[in-house]
Amino acid sequence: MSNIIVIAEARSGSLKKTSLEAVTAGKELAAKAGGQVIAIIVGNDLSAAKEALAASGADKVIALQSEALAQYSGDGYSAAISGELASLDPACVLMAHSAMGRDLAPRLAANLKTGLISDVTALHYDDSKFGATKPVFAGKAYRKSYFEKSPFMATLRPNNWAGQSDAGSAEVSDASPSVSAADLKAIVQEVVAAASDRTPLQEARVVVSGGRGLKESEHFKLIEDLAAAFGPGVAAVGASRAVVDAGWRPHREQVGQTGKVVAPTLYFACGISGAIQHLAGMSTSQFIVAINKDANAPIFKVANYGIVGDVFEVLPALTAAVKATV
Amino acid sequence: MIEIPAFLHWFALLAQGPGRAAAPTLQLVIKVMDIVVCVKRVAATDSQIKIAADGKSLDPAGIEFVLNPYDEIAVEAALAAKEQFGDSTVTVVTLGSADAQKELRTCLAMGADKAVLINDGGRSQDAFSTAETVADYLKGTAASLIFCGKQAVDGDESQFPPRLAELLGMPCVTEITSLTLEDGSLVAERDIEGAREVVNCSLPAVISTNKGLNEPRYANLKGIMAAKKKPLEEIEAAAIDPATSIESLSLPPARSEGKIVETVDQLVDALKNEAKVL
Ligand SMILES: Cc1cc2nc3c(=O)[nH]c(=O)nc-3n(C[C@H](O)[C@H](O)[C@H](O)COP(=O)(O)OP(=O)(O)OC[C@H]3O[C@@H](n4cnc5c(N)ncnc54)[C@H](O)[C@@H]3O)c2cc1C
Ligand SMILES: Nc1ncnc2c1ncn2[C@@H]1O[C@H](COP(=O)(O)O)[C@@H](O)[C@H]1O
């Protein structure tokens, strides 16, 4: 029986939430196609991540541990995982569409001489064929495709499956990959953490974004305050391109076609007009709230809830109300 | 503007006297490099997407096609590398239909030296067949630094650069926002979730560029005129079957009609009791 492989990911020793989501997606496919869900994790100090993965609902966990692989290396991780996959009879290989997933999954796919559907929002198994649906043209359309080769591979858009953290206790085995430090060509030298321990934009459950309507970079304090009101680890700050180009906010916070694509449970667009390139980055959010003083702003066309009003009045009141509620 | 012939610079240096002239000779160390940029013709980002009658593809009527925005950044990075290393060549390569000549000319006008169109006659391709085809072509070249965009804004795959790297046996650094090229190696930075990675990599290598790396230059009139005379080679693409087949292309479900609320209290109430997200 062929297996469903999930490539998991740890950051500073702890398992990423998107890896739990990938295990859930793997179980969904295994329920239709059969096979075991085997999660593979690569790195050095993996004890905490292994434990979390064992409770994710996977049937088996394999840890590829090696000092040489303590830091990420696209070529190194690809070689190590490819070596392991050979003995696992994979029907399917899944991974989060994270920075690492975008770097590693295509390498693995090329190595396995197979396809890959990236950034998928739904997985299919019909008439013994694997397939997936993904947003294309920055979310302006959805494309459904099926696989003509094996194994099936996909990277999963964050926040589309519910990860589980107490769904059993899988058997964990350690393996030592035959990759040595001398083999590695690209190596992460250093990981510089962002200024604060803010929630990563693409993984946040709530995103509070500000645009040119905030008038000055200092006024982003209002945006930060609302994000903070949700409590630690819940909300992230986003920005429109207009304010990134103006130098008010760093590019990593830009939401949109040429920024990040986010799909949180709750998205706040504050003083953002809703240009098509901005919508491209957030229109698949579950609930969208728009705050804009112009009742005709296009953002209201995609918003579930809107307040026609001044951000300088609405935001402080909203922050206070959210603080009182959560 | 009148160009100053290169030899005049050397007169200028010699005129500075023997003591001074010694230092600039360091710059005479010329590293010849074959720099390649992989580019793609895509629908402009503000296009209204309409589905063609086959239910599987984009209806191209009324769509403006342009050079993929991330590939503009890749071309700029390649031109900057050439400026740094001296006597190198920048070749832009695309797999696509004859229409893509327009985007190749755009790259030549920006300053690339030559262009290669791997013509597939508009055949349906996926990331697998695209990377296999371009890799087969590049295996026959001496490319030592290959730039790509982070993603093509049509399929939004973000797959081609690492695939190419694997097929060519090269390392790859994706989505870079800063780049320092050295002799035989590079250091690049990339944003990851909540942090920034500093990556060290040996050459030859594949690099994919993110916004923030540079501001792509515009093609000026002189560049556009020069581009007409630059070589654009056309070769036929080998028939490699895609690994995936498209079942359908569809528009996203319309979002339900939104609701305008008057007060913050009403909003919080709706988020809590209707949407149940607080
Ligand atoms: C190739 C390309 C790529 C692009 N990529 C992106 C991208 O990734 N992301 C992106 O965001 N944009 C992108 N853009 C830019 C996009 O077209 C818009 O220019 C941009 O999104 C506008 O930002 P904004 O909404 O903050 O500013 P504006 O359009 O100026 O809107 C400001 C809004 O604030 C409102 N406002 C003003 N004062 C107040 C107040 N006191 N209270 C409440 N509301 C107020 C106004 O009514 C207005 O609606 C791209 C453009 C191109 C051409
Ligand atoms: N058909 C193609 N021909 C040449 N380069 C391509 C092609 N498709 C994608 N690329 C390159 O790969 C990058 C990422 O594209 P993608 O993987 O399709 O998102 C693009 O920015 C280009 O640099």
Side-chain angles (χ1 to χ4, degrees):
Chain A
M1 171 83 58
S2 343
N3 295 303
I4 311 274
I5 314 296
V6 172
I7 313 290
E9 190 181 339
R11 166 76 35 80
S12 325
S14 44
L15 187 70
K16 292 194 65 170
K17 174 179 156 253
T18 47
S19 298
L20 296 178
E21 297 173 10
V23 171
T24 302
K27 283 170 68 176
E28 179 189 306
L29 275 185
K32 293 182 195 161
Q36 286 198 310
V37 176
I38 304 175
I40 299 181
I41 186 146
V42 187
N44 199 14
D45 222 344
L46 291 173
S47 42
K50 280 195 290 193
E51 206 174 302
L53 208 47
S56 67
D59 297 305
K60 267 189 199 159
V61 173
I62 300 173
L64 296 178
Q65 305 213 68
S66 147
E67 223 166 286
L69 300 174
Q71 294 295 350
Y72 178 68
S73 161
D75 46 295
Y77 275 42
S78 168
I81 295 169
S82 299
E84 190 64 26
L85 284 178
S87 61
L88 292 178
D89 189 17
C92 162
V93 181
L94 301 177
M95 215 182 153
H97 193 68
S98 58
M100 181 171 134
R102 290 193 294 277
D103 198 83
L104 182 57
R107 281 203 86 112
L108 287 173
N111 194 306
L112 296 169
K113 296 262 172 254
T114 192
L116 166 67
I117 307 180
S118 51
D119 199 18
V120 313
T121 51
L123 294 166
H124 313 293
Y125 184 74
D126 302 310
D127 301 330
S128 307
K129 267 194 181 180
F130 287 98
T133 298
K134 70 157 300 189
V136 290
F137 299 109
K140 284 182 275 183
Y142 281 82
R143 192 180 72 204
K144 182 177 185 184
S145 355
Y146 284 101
F147 254 55
E148 306 296 339
K149 283 193 193 300
S150 181
F152 165 70
M153 284 191 73
T155 57
L156 314 173
R157 178 171 283 205
N159 282 325
N160 264 269
W161 284 266
Q164 291 175 286
S165 53
D166 52 359
S169 54
E171 155 207 340
V172 181
S173 58
D174 292 317
S176 30
S178 57
V179 175
S180 72
D183 299 333
L184 308 182
K185 295 179 188 144
I187 309 167
V188 174
Q189 264 178 2
E190 199 187 345
V191 180
V192 187
S196 66
D197 56 351
R198 263 191 223 127
T199 319
L201 194 53
Q202 285 143 301
E203 293 171 17
R205 198 171 68 75
V206 178
V207 173
V208 186
S209 288
R212 192 142 46 191
L214 268 296
K215 303 282 191 294
E216 278 174 39
S217 81
E218 290 69 43
H219 297 156
F220 258 76
K221 176 86 173 43
L222 295 174
I223 300 289
E224 285 171 352
D225 288 349
L226 176 55
F230 286 91
V234 177
V237 170
S240 73
R241 170 157 160 188
V243 304
V244 170
D245 284 353
W248 299 356
R249 303 302 294 184
H251 178 257
R252 62 170 182 277
E253 289 182 1
Q254 183 177 316
V255 171
Q257 176 122 36
T258 44
K260 301 221 158 80
V261 175
V262 300
T265 308
L266 185 54
Y267 186 89
F268 289 91
C270 314
I272 291 178
S273 59
I276 192 159
Q277 295 93 349
H278 187 80
L279 301 186
M282 43 64 76
S283 62
T284 58
S285 304
Q286 204 183 336
F287 286 95
I288 297 170
V289 175
I291 303 163
N292 197 303
K293 66 176 185 189
D294 174 8
N296 295 319
I299 191 73
F300 287 119
K301 293 211 174 71
V302 299
N304 300 80
Y305 299 104
I307 292 190
V308 181
D310 189 332
V311 284
F312 299 105
E313 287 162 20
V314 176
L315 281 175
L318 184 56
T319 300
V322 168
K323 258 192 204 144
T325 308
V326 299
Chain B
M1 204 185 91
I2 300 167
E3 294 238 327
I4 303 168
F7 67 87
L8 284 183
H9 288 296
W10 294 106
F11 280 126
L13 287 174
L14 290 172
Q16 289 175 332
R20 284 291 199 73
T25 53
L26 280 177
Q27 295 176 355
L28 271 177
V29 183
I30 288 170
K31 304 178 193 71
V32 183
M33 265 227 270
D34 278 343
I35 304 169
V36 167
V37 194
C38 298
V39 300
K40 192 176 189 193
R41 169 186 166 90
V42 298
T45 58
D46 52 3
S47 307
Q48 281 288 351
I49 301 299
K50 277 182 258 127
I51 314 291
D54 66 0
K56 296 181 181 190
S57 56
L58 171 72
D59 179 357
I63 300 259
E64 184 201 349
F65 287 90
V66 297
L67 177 61
N68 179 36
Y70 291 107
D71 300 350
E72 290 178 8
I73 301 170
V75 171
E76 177 61 41
L79 296 174
K82 174 176 169 159
E83 280 155 14
Q84 180 185 344
F85 284 103
D87 192 18
S88 311
T89 52
V90 173
T91 308
V92 286
V93 178
T94 195
L95 171 67
S97 66
D99 296 334
Q101 285 177 2
K102 171 177 154 276
E103 284 66 37
L104 290 175
R105 289 282 176 212
T106 303
C107 301
L108 294 174
M110 285 173 76
D113 301 297
K114 28 179 206 162
V116 178
L117 169 65
I118 309 174
N119 195 332
D120 65 1
R123 208 174 31 245
S124 172
Q125 301 277 3
D126 69 355
F128 168 81
S129 58
T130 304
E132 291 274 344
T133 308
V134 177
D136 282 350
Y137 168 74
L138 288 175
K139 274 176 195 159
T141 71
S144 54
L145 191 51
I146 303 173
F147 288 97
C148 301
K150 165 185 110 148
Q151 79 192 57
V153 301
D154 47 8
D156 293 324
E157 295 286 355
S158 301
Q159 285 199 36
F160 179 91
R163 275 186 181 271
L164 189 67
E166 184 81 21
L167 295 172
L168 297 176
M170 290 183 190
C172 183
V173 193
T174 49
E175 308 184 5
I176 67 165
T177 54
S178 98
L179 174 65
T180 311
L181 284 168
E182 281 146 24
D183 192 6
S185 70
L186 63 89
V187 179
E189 292 185 351
R190 59 195 298 263
D191 286 341
I192 58 170
E193 295 83 14
R196 184 164 46 84
E197 279 180 355
V198 183
V199 188
N200 190 313
C201 173
S202 60
L203 293 188
V206 177
I207 288 167
S208 88
T209 56
N210 201 352
K211 196 170 168 274
L213 176 66
N214 57 40
E215 276 303 325
R217 67 194 67 184
Y218 288 104
N220 57 22
L221 192 60
K222 189 172 153 226
I224 294 167
M225 298 309 289
K228 293 185 178 155
K229 297 196 202 84
K230 288 182 180 173
L232 194 160
E233 188 192 340
E234 207 171 309
I235 56 177
E236 203 176 315
I240 295 177
D241 287 335
T244 55
S245 64
I246 298 176
E247 170 81 9
S248 65
L249 186 70
S250 56
L251 297 178
R255 290 190 77 93
S256 54
E257 187 69 24
K259 183 166 159 185
I260 299 289
V261 295
E262 301 298 325
T263 67
V264 164
D265 287 342
Q266 285 170 2
L267 175 63
V268 171
D269 182 64
L271 291 176
K272 200 167 153 182
N273 300 315
E274 262 177 40
K276 303 196 192 311
V277 289
L278 282 188

